[in-house]
Amino acid sequence: MKRIKSAIFAVAMGSAIGAYAEPIKVGIALDISGPFSALGTEARDGFNLAIEKLGGKLGGQPAEFLQADYAGNPQQATELVNRYLQRDKITFFTGPIPSNAALAVGPALFAAKVPFISSNPGPSQYAGKQCNPYFFGQYQNDTYDEAAGKIANEKGYKNVVLIAPNYPAGKDHLNGFKRLYKGALKDEIYTKVGQIDYAAEIARIRALKPDAVFFFLPGAMGINFIKQYVGGGLKEIPLIAPGFSADQDVIQAVGEPMLGLLNTAHWAHDLPVPANKEFVSAFRKKYDGRTPSVYAAMAYDSIMAMDAAVRDAGGKTDNREALVKALAKPSFKSVRGEFAYGVNHYPVQNYYLRVVDKDASGKLANKLVGTVLEKHQDAYVGECTR
């Protein structure tokens, strides 16, 4: 596995070296190849923007940000984490996109008392019975879809077809939708992770004639599904999705067929929050005018959370309990606005409705519509008894 480094990631020079014997080390698992590569690229860019903003430091101390691609493979993720723990002696870990990778690497990190600040996955297991003080989520998988289920009710969709990849996040997302949706389910379809041909699934949907289709198919999976769905003549059956299936990476790749698609998220690029406005402006400036996705926003927040925790723990990074305590009471200005952690270290926060529309320049982008769920807590917190 290739380790990806840059001068910006290893800032431990001059007088700073004299003050601190070793830089704080952060292990980052990147998905820049494999089935989640588009999402991993977004996350990488969010990480790097935050690292640049902080001058390569955490809490004012020199830091080294170790980045390696594990190609979306849980076994490779486990091997990478073991190297980070044994060779590099990391203080923090973040990075992987899919929930199966998060579930694979969690036990080793928790045993080593290394805080795992998730930059995306929010598996139900870590929210409930397997909750751990060293895991911090950005959202819980089901919550995006609970918001989508509520929207489906409000739109009067009396019956729907659900579709998602057959892996932990796919099951969580469909369970979330079903939790708040009050209509009938015509079918629940699970596909292969990384699947790109949806002819059989689209034929099935066409025969069922639902009022709407709810789909969780992130990255290239969603891109191919939407293109084939519209190309297959199903445009009149509305699509509704969690934001991961209708974010900037998908919009740019699909184009006009995305227009009008409703999706839910805990963040939007036009959310009127000062920290968010600063983030979006800086991201566009650094990356040639590109609008960030939710993956970039969460990656950015992950680094900012580490920075605040080191500062709030008085720089005592060897005191892991102090770091966890600091992480649990975040003092940084999040791009999502104010939030708090539940006992399971998953956020209590707002979830929003977005619609794919054209901006003032005529480009397709998500537009914030309004709040769907306010200060919402995940459904599994009651099972967390640590």
Side-chain angles (χ1 to χ4, degrees):
M1 240 176 276
K2 182 181 179 181
R3 176 175 294 187
I4 302 167
K5 286 189 178 181
S6 170
I8 193 173
F9 304 143
V11 179
M13 57 187 68
S15 61
I17 293 180
Y20 306 101
E22 290 287 338
I24 299 166
K25 293 184 179 181
V26 178
I28 303 176
L30 293 178
D31 288 85
I32 54 174
S33 65
F36 303 97
S37 59
L39 320 181
T41 299
E42 283 284 320
R44 178 200 61 194
D45 291 349
F47 288 133
N48 291 346
L49 180 64
I51 293 165
E52 182 179 273
K53 177 180 173 62
L54 296 173
K57 297 182 179 181
L58 289 176
Q61 296 189 31
E64 186 175 358
F65 298 85
L66 310 172
Q67 301 193 26
D69 179 26
Y70 76 101
N73 183 301
Q75 179 59 40
Q76 290 187 35
T78 302
E79 294 169 2
L80 174 61
V81 164
N82 286 334
R83 284 202 297 276
Y84 279 158
L85 292 173
Q86 296 166 17
R87 181 186 64 193
D88 300 306
K89 311 299 182 184
I90 58 171
T91 298
F92 296 104
F93 176 79
T94 188
I97 295 294
S99 289
N100 54 1
L103 291 169
V105 302
L109 292 164
F110 304 154
K113 295 186 176 181
V114 170
F116 179 176
I117 295 88
S118 175
S119 62
N120 179 57
S124 57
Q125 291 89 338
Y126 289 164
K129 294 178 181 179
Q130 296 178 41
C131 65
N132 191 284
Y134 287 90
F135 184 83
F136 291 84
Q138 297 265 357
Y139 65 94
Q140 194 278 314
N141 286 344
D142 302 37
T143 51
Y144 269 52
D145 319 282
E146 289 166 355
K150 184 178 179 183
I151 291 299
N153 295 333
E154 293 174 0
K155 291 293 180 181
Y157 301 147
K158 298 189 185 311
N159 57 77
V160 299
V161 169
L162 311 182
I163 183 168
N166 189 11
Y167 77 121
K171 294 176 181 178
D172 281 351
H173 281 279
L174 294 197
N175 285 336
F177 183 87
K178 291 185 289 184
R179 188 170 291 115
L180 293 191
Y181 177 60
K182 300 183 184 302
L185 300 180
K186 282 214 164 184
D187 205 352
E188 188 170 340
I189 303 170
Y190 286 99
T191 64
K192 293 181 180 179
V193 175
Q195 183 172 322
I196 58 173
D197 183 359
Y198 295 94
E201 290 81 6
I202 289 170
R204 196 164 159 185
I205 293 168
R206 185 184 294 110
L208 290 167
K209 299 179 181 178
D211 286 349
V213 172
F214 173 77
F215 72 105
F216 167 68
L217 293 164
M221 292 179 284
I223 291 167
N224 284 281
F225 174 75
I226 298 169
K227 286 181 176 179
Q228 293 167 32
Y229 185 90
V230 174
L234 298 185
K235 191 174 183 179
E236 298 307 313
I237 301 176
L239 290 171
I240 185 170
F244 310 111
S245 303
D247 218 326
Q248 291 306 122
D249 59 312
V250 181
I251 293 171
Q252 290 173 4
V254 175
E256 289 288 328
M258 294 288 294
L259 197 61
L261 198 154
L262 299 174
N263 63 98
T264 50
H266 78 291
W267 172 87
H269 76 267
D270 52 350
L271 193 65
V273 172
N276 189 48
K277 291 180 179 179
E278 179 183 341
F279 160 67
V280 173
S281 177
F283 191 95
R284 286 172 171 163
K285 183 178 180 180
K286 182 173 177 64
Y287 299 113
D288 300 321
R290 191 168 102 241
T291 296
S293 69
V294 69
Y295 298 100
M298 291 189 293
Y300 182 89
D301 259 6
S302 296
I303 300 298
M304 292 302 176
M306 296 176 199
D307 176 63
V310 172
R311 183 179 60 250
D312 294 346
K316 299 176 181 178
T317 57
D318 57 336
N319 186 338
R320 299 303 170 82
E321 288 75 16
L323 278 183
V324 166
K325 185 177 180 180
L327 284 164
K329 295 183 178 180
S331 63
F332 72 101
K333 300 297 183 183
S334 171
V335 297
R336 83 194 79 180
E338 293 185 5
F339 75 99
Y341 283 117
V343 68
N344 58 0
H345 290 169
Y346 277 79
V348 180
Q349 61 192 357
N350 291 352
Y351 291 85
Y352 304 97
L353 175 63
R354 311 184 303 183
V355 63
V356 179
D357 201 352
K358 291 186 177 180
D359 61 20
S361 66
K363 293 181 179 179
L364 286 172
N366 271 306
K367 179 180 179 182
L368 179 64
V369 177
T371 305
V372 182
L373 298 172
E374 189 172 354
K375 294 182 179 179
H376 185 61
Q377 173 77 68
D378 67 271
Y380 301 94
V381 65
E383 300 175 10
C384 178
T385 57
R386 60 174 175 77

